[in-house]
Amino acid sequence: MSKSKSFKVNSPKVLSAAIDSEVVIVNLDSGDYYSLLKTGVEVWSAIEKGMSYDGILMNLAQNYTGSPEEITATVNEFISKLEQENLISVEEIQANQEVNISALESENDANKTKPKFEPPAFEKFTDMEDLLLLDPIHEVDESAGWPNVK
Amino acid sequence: MEKKPLVTVIIAVYNCEKYLAQAIESVLAQTYKAIEIIIIDDGSTDGSAEVAKSFLPQIKYYFQENSGPGAALNQGISLSQGKLIAFLDSDDLWVADKLSYQMRAFESNPDLEAVFGHVRQFKSPELDEASKQSIQIPVEVISGYFKGTMLIKREAFERVGWFDSQIKIGDFLDWYLRASEQSLKSLMLPEVVTKRRLHKTNMGIRERKSYSEYLPILKASLDRRRSNSK
C-alpha cells in the first residue's frame, strides 16, 4: 500500500460558498478573499468532500480531455497555492490502490465529447483586509448560542 | 462668522436601552457643535424609546416597524438635513473631537468625499470574566473601516448609493465595496475617533454562520467589477 494525501478546509477561519460557477472564499484570519473558477470549483468541492489527491486527479482525467502531465502539474500548483494561503491543510492517508492517470487518459480517448481541460483559476483579493479584520473573533462554541444578531 | 456646515448623525437603535444614553451623550459632547441627531428606533420592544425621548428636543426621534439596520439607516438619511452624514451604532461611543478632527480634514482637502478614523475596541465593563476572556481582540486600535467612524458628504453618499435594506449582516461591507468600485476619495485619520463596545448582544454578529453572509456580498462585487471592466 502506498501513501497518498487528502486535504481539509481550515474551517471555521475559512468560509466558502459556490455561487454561479464560482467559489468565493474568505479567510477570517487574514481578511483576504479569493475567487476560484473553472476546474478550481471542482477541485475545491472535491477537497470539501474529503476526496484524496489521487481521486481528484482521477476525476479530472475522467471528465476532461487533456494531457495527464498538464492536469497533474496545474492541480499541484493550485493545491500548493491553497496551502500557502492557509485555506487548506494536507493530511497523509494510506492509498488503497495505485492510480495510473495515463491509463485513464487512454481510456478517455474513446470519448471525444468531453470538454477540454482548463486549469483551475485562482485569484486573491486583499482590498477588504482592514474591513474584514475589524470583527474580533470569539472562541465560543456555536452551540453555546450567543443571542442572535438583531 | 461663517456658518459651520450641518452634520447629521444617525443612530439606529434596536433594543439597546442599556447603552443608548451613553452613545447619544457622546454625540452631544462633540466639540463640533453644528449637529442634527436623528434616532431611528427600528421597532424596539425594550426601554430604548424612553431613553431616546429623554433627550428631546436635542434629538429627533422616529419609530418604525422592525425592518433591519439598512432600512433604518436609509430612513434616517431620508429625514436628514445635514450637508454631511455620520453614523453611530447605539452601543458605541465617539471621542469628543471626532467630528472636529474630520471637519478639519475636509477643510484642508476639499476634494475628499469621506473621512474615516481609527477605532478603539473595548470590552463592555459589565461583562463577566468568562465572557471577557472569550473575546479576542488581536489589536486594540485598528483602522476603522466601518460606519461608526465615517463622516461623508451627502452628495458622495448619494453617488455611491444607499444601504441595501435586504442585507441584514454585512450592509456596510456591501456599501464599502460599492464605494471602492466607484473610487470614493477617502482618508483614514490616525486618531481614534470611535470606541467600539464588545458585549454579549453584538457578538452574535461574529457567529461563524453570520460571516457566511459576507460571501454572496463579495461575489456580487466581483461580478460588478468584471462587468464594469468589460
Short mmCIF file of all heavy atoms in Angstrom, two decimals, chain B residues 133-177:
data_model
loop_
_atom_site.label_atom_id
_atom_site.label_comp_id
_atom_site.label_asym_id
_atom_site.label_seq_id
_atom_site.Cartn_x
_atom_site.Cartn_y
_atom_site.Cartn_z
N GLN B 133 -13.06 36.96 28.59
CA GLN B 133 -11.97 36.14 28.08
C GLN B 133 -12.31 35.46 26.75
O GLN B 133 -11.42 35.07 26.01
CB GLN B 133 -11.57 35.10 29.13
CG GLN B 133 -10.61 35.72 30.13
CD GLN B 133 -10.34 34.83 31.31
OE1 GLN B 133 -10.57 33.62 31.23
NE2 GLN B 133 -9.84 35.41 32.38
N SER B 134 -13.60 35.31 26.49
CA SER B 134 -13.98 34.63 25.25
C SER B 134 -13.82 35.53 24.02
O SER B 134 -13.89 35.08 22.90
CB SER B 134 -15.42 34.13 25.34
OG SER B 134 -16.31 35.21 25.16
N ILE B 135 -13.62 36.83 24.26
CA ILE B 135 -13.45 37.74 23.12
C ILE B 135 -11.96 37.97 22.90
O ILE B 135 -11.25 38.36 23.81
CB ILE B 135 -14.09 39.12 23.40
CG1 ILE B 135 -15.50 38.97 23.96
CG2 ILE B 135 -14.11 39.95 22.13
CD1 ILE B 135 -16.08 40.27 24.49
N GLN B 136 -11.53 37.71 21.68
CA GLN B 136 -10.13 38.02 21.35
C GLN B 136 -10.10 39.35 20.63
O GLN B 136 -10.81 39.53 19.66
CB GLN B 136 -9.57 36.99 20.37
CG GLN B 136 -9.51 35.59 20.87
CD GLN B 136 -9.16 34.65 19.71
OE1 GLN B 136 -8.72 35.07 18.64
NE2 GLN B 136 -9.36 33.38 19.95
N ILE B 137 -9.27 40.24 21.10
CA ILE B 137 -9.05 41.49 20.36
C ILE B 137 -7.59 41.49 19.93
O ILE B 137 -6.72 41.79 20.73
CB ILE B 137 -9.35 42.73 21.21
CG1 ILE B 137 -10.71 42.61 21.90
CG2 ILE B 137 -9.30 43.98 20.36
CD1 ILE B 137 -11.09 43.82 22.74
N PRO B 138 -7.31 41.08 18.69
CA PRO B 138 -5.92 40.98 18.27
C PRO B 138 -5.19 42.32 18.40
O PRO B 138 -4.07 42.38 18.88
CB PRO B 138 -6.00 40.54 16.81
CG PRO B 138 -7.42 40.13 16.57
CD PRO B 138 -8.26 40.78 17.61
N VAL B 139 -5.83 43.39 17.98
CA VAL B 139 -5.25 44.72 18.15
C VAL B 139 -6.34 45.62 18.70
O VAL B 139 -7.46 45.62 18.20
CB VAL B 139 -4.76 45.35 16.82
CG1 VAL B 139 -3.28 45.60 16.83
CG2 VAL B 139 -5.21 44.55 15.62
N GLU B 140 -5.96 46.37 19.72
CA GLU B 140 -6.96 47.21 20.38
C GLU B 140 -7.36 48.38 19.49
O GLU B 140 -8.53 48.73 19.40
CB GLU B 140 -6.35 47.73 21.68
CG GLU B 140 -7.37 47.95 22.76
CD GLU B 140 -6.67 48.26 24.06
OE1 GLU B 140 -5.89 47.39 24.53
OE2 GLU B 140 -6.88 49.36 24.57
N VAL B 141 -6.35 48.99 18.84
CA VAL B 141 -6.64 50.13 17.98
C VAL B 141 -6.39 49.71 16.54
O VAL B 141 -5.34 49.19 16.21
CB VAL B 141 -5.75 51.34 18.34
CG1 VAL B 141 -5.95 52.47 17.33
CG2 VAL B 141 -6.08 51.85 19.74
N ILE B 142 -7.38 49.93 15.71
CA ILE B 142 -7.32 49.42 14.34
C ILE B 142 -7.97 50.46 13.43
O ILE B 142 -8.83 51.24 13.87
CB ILE B 142 -8.03 48.04 14.27
CG1 ILE B 142 -8.00 47.43 12.87
CG2 ILE B 142 -9.44 48.10 14.76
CD1 ILE B 142 -8.43 45.96 12.85
N SER B 143 -7.54 50.50 12.16
CA SER B 143 -8.18 51.45 11.25
C SER B 143 -9.65 51.08 11.12
O SER B 143 -9.99 49.95 10.85
CB SER B 143 -7.49 51.50 9.88
OG SER B 143 -6.86 50.30 9.59
N GLY B 144 -10.48 52.07 11.31
CA GLY B 144 -11.91 51.79 11.44
C GLY B 144 -12.68 51.95 10.16
O GLY B 144 -13.38 52.93 9.96
N TYR B 145 -12.56 50.94 9.29
CA TYR B 145 -13.39 50.97 8.09
C TYR B 145 -14.76 50.43 8.45
O TYR B 145 -15.09 49.29 8.16
CB TYR B 145 -12.74 50.17 6.96
CG TYR B 145 -11.55 50.88 6.36
CD1 TYR B 145 -10.26 50.53 6.71
CD2 TYR B 145 -11.76 51.93 5.46
CE1 TYR B 145 -9.17 51.21 6.17
CE2 TYR B 145 -10.67 52.60 4.92
CZ TYR B 145 -9.38 52.24 5.28
OH TYR B 145 -8.32 52.91 4.75
N PHE B 146 -15.54 51.24 9.13
CA PHE B 146 -16.93 50.87 9.42
C PHE B 146 -17.74 52.15 9.59
O PHE B 146 -17.19 53.24 9.66
CB PHE B 146 -17.00 49.87 10.58
CG PHE B 146 -17.04 50.44 11.99
CD1 PHE B 146 -18.14 50.19 12.82
CD2 PHE B 146 -15.99 51.20 12.48
CE1 PHE B 146 -18.18 50.68 14.11
CE2 PHE B 146 -16.03 51.69 13.77
CZ PHE B 146 -17.13 51.44 14.59
N LYS B 147 -19.06 51.96 9.62
CA LYS B 147 -19.96 53.11 9.64
C LYS B 147 -19.67 54.08 10.78
O LYS B 147 -19.77 55.28 10.62
CB LYS B 147 -21.40 52.61 9.87
CG LYS B 147 -22.08 52.03 8.70
CD LYS B 147 -23.56 51.84 9.00
CE LYS B 147 -23.83 50.82 10.08
NZ LYS B 147 -24.06 49.45 9.61
N GLY B 148 -19.33 53.51 11.94
CA GLY B 148 -19.22 54.32 13.16
C GLY B 148 -18.07 55.31 13.16
O GLY B 148 -17.98 56.14 14.07
N THR B 149 -17.17 55.24 12.18
CA THR B 149 -16.10 56.24 12.11
C THR B 149 -16.32 57.18 10.93
O THR B 149 -15.72 58.23 10.86
CB THR B 149 -14.70 55.61 11.92
OG1 THR B 149 -14.63 55.04 10.62
CG2 THR B 149 -14.42 54.54 12.97
N MET B 150 -17.16 56.77 9.98
CA MET B 150 -17.23 57.50 8.71
C MET B 150 -17.99 58.82 8.82
O MET B 150 -19.05 58.89 9.40
CB MET B 150 -17.91 56.61 7.66
CG MET B 150 -18.00 57.26 6.29
SD MET B 150 -18.56 56.10 5.00
CE MET B 150 -20.32 56.08 5.29
N LEU B 151 -17.40 59.87 8.25
CA LEU B 151 -18.12 61.13 8.02
C LEU B 151 -18.08 61.35 6.51
O LEU B 151 -17.00 61.36 5.92
CB LEU B 151 -17.47 62.29 8.76
CG LEU B 151 -18.12 63.67 8.52
CD1 LEU B 151 -19.56 63.71 9.02
CD2 LEU B 151 -17.31 64.79 9.20
N ILE B 152 -19.24 61.48 5.90
CA ILE B 152 -19.28 61.53 4.44
C ILE B 152 -20.14 62.69 3.96
O ILE B 152 -21.15 63.02 4.59
CB ILE B 152 -19.78 60.17 3.86
CG1 ILE B 152 -19.71 60.17 2.33
CG2 ILE B 152 -21.18 59.81 4.36
CD1 ILE B 152 -19.84 58.79 1.70
N LYS B 153 -19.72 63.29 2.86
CA LYS B 153 -20.53 64.35 2.26
C LYS B 153 -21.79 63.73 1.66
O LYS B 153 -21.72 62.66 1.06
CB LYS B 153 -19.72 65.07 1.17
CG LYS B 153 -18.57 65.89 1.72
CD LYS B 153 -17.75 66.52 0.60
CE LYS B 153 -16.64 67.39 1.18
NZ LYS B 153 -15.66 67.79 0.15
N ARG B 154 -22.89 64.44 1.80
CA ARG B 154 -24.16 63.89 1.32
C ARG B 154 -24.09 63.49 -0.17
O ARG B 154 -24.53 62.42 -0.56
CB ARG B 154 -25.28 64.91 1.53
CG ARG B 154 -26.61 64.53 0.89
CD ARG B 154 -27.65 65.59 1.11
NE ARG B 154 -28.00 65.67 2.52
CZ ARG B 154 -28.91 64.87 3.10
NH1 ARG B 154 -29.53 63.96 2.40
NH2 ARG B 154 -29.17 64.99 4.38
N GLU B 155 -23.51 64.37 -0.99
CA GLU B 155 -23.51 64.06 -2.43
C GLU B 155 -22.66 62.83 -2.72
O GLU B 155 -22.96 62.06 -3.64
CB GLU B 155 -23.09 65.27 -3.29
CG GLU B 155 -21.68 65.79 -3.07
CD GLU B 155 -21.60 66.91 -2.03
OE1 GLU B 155 -22.52 67.00 -1.17
OE2 GLU B 155 -20.63 67.68 -2.06
N ALA B 156 -21.62 62.60 -1.93
CA ALA B 156 -20.79 61.42 -2.14
C ALA B 156 -21.57 60.17 -1.75
O ALA B 156 -21.51 59.13 -2.44
CB ALA B 156 -19.52 61.52 -1.30
N PHE B 157 -22.31 60.26 -0.65
CA PHE B 157 -23.12 59.12 -0.23
C PHE B 157 -24.14 58.78 -1.31
O PHE B 157 -24.33 57.61 -1.66
CB PHE B 157 -23.82 59.41 1.10
CG PHE B 157 -24.52 58.20 1.65
CD1 PHE B 157 -23.82 57.28 2.42
CD2 PHE B 157 -25.84 57.93 1.35
CE1 PHE B 157 -24.43 56.13 2.89
CE2 PHE B 157 -26.46 56.79 1.80
CZ PHE B 157 -25.75 55.89 2.58
N GLU B 158 -24.75 59.81 -1.85
CA GLU B 158 -25.76 59.56 -2.88
C GLU B 158 -25.14 59.02 -4.17
O GLU B 158 -25.76 58.24 -4.89
CB GLU B 158 -26.57 60.84 -3.13
CG GLU B 158 -27.58 61.02 -2.01
CD GLU B 158 -28.24 62.38 -1.97
OE1 GLU B 158 -27.90 63.24 -2.81
OE2 GLU B 158 -29.10 62.58 -1.09
N ARG B 159 -23.92 59.44 -4.44
CA ARG B 159 -23.21 58.92 -5.62
C ARG B 159 -23.00 57.41 -5.50
O ARG B 159 -23.22 56.65 -6.45
CB ARG B 159 -21.85 59.63 -5.74
CG ARG B 159 -21.02 59.23 -6.95
CD ARG B 159 -19.81 60.15 -7.12
NE ARG B 159 -18.69 59.85 -6.23
CZ ARG B 159 -17.80 58.90 -6.44
NH1 ARG B 159 -17.90 58.12 -7.50
NH2 ARG B 159 -16.81 58.70 -5.58
N VAL B 160 -22.58 56.96 -4.31
CA VAL B 160 -22.35 55.53 -4.10
C VAL B 160 -23.68 54.77 -4.04
O VAL B 160 -23.80 53.68 -4.59
CB VAL B 160 -21.55 55.30 -2.79
CG1 VAL B 160 -21.46 53.82 -2.45
CG2 VAL B 160 -20.16 55.91 -2.90
N GLY B 161 -24.65 55.37 -3.42
CA GLY B 161 -25.96 54.71 -3.29
C GLY B 161 -26.26 54.39 -1.84
O GLY B 161 -25.37 54.41 -0.99
N TRP B 162 -27.50 54.09 -1.56
CA TRP B 162 -27.96 53.89 -0.20
C TRP B 162 -27.60 52.49 0.28
O TRP B 162 -27.11 51.66 -0.50
CB TRP B 162 -29.47 54.15 -0.13
CG TRP B 162 -29.79 55.59 -0.41
CD1 TRP B 162 -29.20 56.38 -1.37
CD2 TRP B 162 -30.73 56.43 0.27
NE1 TRP B 162 -29.72 57.65 -1.31
CE2 TRP B 162 -30.66 57.72 -0.32
CE3 TRP B 162 -31.62 56.22 1.32
CZ2 TRP B 162 -31.45 58.77 0.11
CZ3 TRP B 162 -32.42 57.27 1.74
CH2 TRP B 162 -32.33 58.54 1.15
N PHE B 163 -27.87 52.23 1.55
CA PHE B 163 -27.63 50.88 2.06
C PHE B 163 -28.64 49.92 1.45
O PHE B 163 -29.78 50.30 1.19
CB PHE B 163 -27.74 50.86 3.59
CG PHE B 163 -26.66 51.63 4.27
CD1 PHE B 163 -26.91 52.85 4.89
CD2 PHE B 163 -25.35 51.15 4.28
CE1 PHE B 163 -25.90 53.58 5.50
CE2 PHE B 163 -24.33 51.86 4.89
CZ PHE B 163 -24.60 53.08 5.49
N ASP B 164 -28.21 48.69 1.25
CA ASP B 164 -29.12 47.68 0.73
C ASP B 164 -29.95 47.17 1.91
O ASP B 164 -29.43 46.50 2.80
CB ASP B 164 -28.30 46.54 0.10
CG ASP B 164 -29.18 45.47 -0.53
OD1 ASP B 164 -30.37 45.38 -0.14
OD2 ASP B 164 -28.68 44.74 -1.39
N SER B 165 -31.23 47.48 1.88
CA SER B 165 -32.05 47.16 3.05
C SER B 165 -32.36 45.66 3.15
O SER B 165 -32.88 45.20 4.16
CB SER B 165 -33.35 47.96 3.02
OG SER B 165 -34.02 47.70 1.81
N GLN B 166 -32.01 44.91 2.11
CA GLN B 166 -32.24 43.46 2.15
C GLN B 166 -31.15 42.75 2.95
O GLN B 166 -31.33 41.62 3.38
CB GLN B 166 -32.26 42.87 0.73
CG GLN B 166 -33.33 43.44 -0.17
CD GLN B 166 -34.71 43.27 0.40
OE1 GLN B 166 -35.09 42.17 0.81
NE2 GLN B 166 -35.47 44.35 0.48
N ILE B 167 -30.01 43.42 3.11
CA ILE B 167 -28.88 42.77 3.78
C ILE B 167 -28.97 43.00 5.28
O ILE B 167 -29.05 44.13 5.73
CB ILE B 167 -27.54 43.32 3.23
CG1 ILE B 167 -27.41 42.98 1.74
CG2 ILE B 167 -26.36 42.78 4.01
CD1 ILE B 167 -26.20 43.61 1.08
N LYS B 168 -28.97 41.91 6.03
CA LYS B 168 -29.10 42.04 7.48
C LYS B 168 -27.72 42.13 8.14
O LYS B 168 -27.52 42.81 9.12
CB LYS B 168 -29.88 40.86 8.08
CG LYS B 168 -31.28 40.71 7.51
CD LYS B 168 -32.21 41.86 7.93
CE LYS B 168 -33.59 41.71 7.31
NZ LYS B 168 -34.21 42.99 6.97
N ILE B 169 -26.78 41.37 7.62
CA ILE B 169 -25.42 41.40 8.16
C ILE B 169 -24.48 41.69 7.00
O ILE B 169 -24.55 41.03 5.97
CB ILE B 169 -25.06 40.04 8.81
CG1 ILE B 169 -26.00 39.78 9.97
CG2 ILE B 169 -23.61 40.03 9.29
CD1 ILE B 169 -26.01 38.35 10.42
N GLY B 170 -23.60 42.66 7.21
CA GLY B 170 -22.67 42.98 6.12
C GLY B 170 -23.17 44.14 5.26
O GLY B 170 -22.72 44.31 4.13
N ASP B 171 -24.11 44.92 5.78
CA ASP B 171 -24.62 46.05 4.99
C ASP B 171 -23.50 47.04 4.68
O ASP B 171 -23.45 47.60 3.58
CB ASP B 171 -25.81 46.75 5.68
CG ASP B 171 -25.51 47.19 7.10
OD1 ASP B 171 -24.65 46.55 7.74
OD2 ASP B 171 -26.11 48.16 7.57
N PHE B 172 -22.58 47.23 5.63
CA PHE B 172 -21.52 48.19 5.37
C PHE B 172 -20.46 47.59 4.42
O PHE B 172 -19.91 48.31 3.57
CB PHE B 172 -20.85 48.69 6.65
CG PHE B 172 -19.89 49.81 6.36
CD1 PHE B 172 -20.36 51.07 6.01
CD2 PHE B 172 -18.53 49.60 6.37
CE1 PHE B 172 -19.49 52.11 5.68
CE2 PHE B 172 -17.64 50.64 6.04
CZ PHE B 172 -18.13 51.89 5.71
N LEU B 173 -20.20 46.29 4.55
CA LEU B 173 -19.26 45.65 3.60
C LEU B 173 -19.76 45.87 2.17
O LEU B 173 -19.01 46.27 1.29
CB LEU B 173 -19.13 44.15 3.91
CG LEU B 173 -18.32 43.33 2.90
CD1 LEU B 173 -16.86 43.74 2.89
CD2 LEU B 173 -18.43 41.83 3.20
N ASP B 174 -21.05 45.63 1.97
CA ASP B 174 -21.65 45.83 0.65
C ASP B 174 -21.50 47.28 0.20
O ASP B 174 -21.09 47.56 -0.92
CB ASP B 174 -23.13 45.43 0.69
CG ASP B 174 -23.87 45.87 -0.57
OD1 ASP B 174 -23.61 45.27 -1.63
OD2 ASP B 174 -24.69 46.80 -0.50
N TRP B 175 -21.82 48.20 1.11
CA TRP B 175 -21.76 49.62 0.75
C TRP B 175 -20.32 50.03 0.43
O TRP B 175 -20.06 50.71 -0.56
CB TRP B 175 -22.31 50.49 1.90
CG TRP B 175 -22.40 51.93 1.50
CD1 TRP B 175 -23.46 52.55 0.91
CD2 TRP B 175 -21.37 52.92 1.60
NE1 TRP B 175 -23.15 53.87 0.64
CE2 TRP B 175 -21.88 54.12 1.06
CE3 TRP B 175 -20.07 52.92 2.10
CZ2 TRP B 175 -21.13 55.29 1.00
CZ3 TRP B 175 -19.32 54.09 2.04
CH2 TRP B 175 -19.85 55.26 1.50
N TYR B 176 -19.38 49.57 1.26
CA TYR B 176 -17.98 49.97 1.09
C TYR B 176 -17.37 49.38 -0.19
O TYR B 176 -16.56 50.01 -0.85
CB TYR B 176 -17.17 49.60 2.33
CG TYR B 176 -15.79 50.20 2.28
CD1 TYR B 176 -15.60 51.57 2.44
CD2 TYR B 176 -14.67 49.41 2.03
CE1 TYR B 176 -14.34 52.14 2.35
CE2 TYR B 176 -13.41 49.97 1.94
CZ TYR B 176 -13.26 51.33 2.10
OH TYR B 176 -12.01 51.89 2.00
N LEU B 177 -17.79 48.17 -0.53
CA LEU B 177 -17.34 47.57 -1.80
C LEU B 177 -17.81 48.43 -2.97
O LEU B 177 -17.04 48.74 -3.89
CB LEU B 177 -17.86 46.14 -1.95
CG LEU B 177 -17.12 45.06 -1.14
CD1 LEU B 177 -17.99 43.81 -1.00
CD2 LEU B 177 -15.79 44.69 -1.79
#
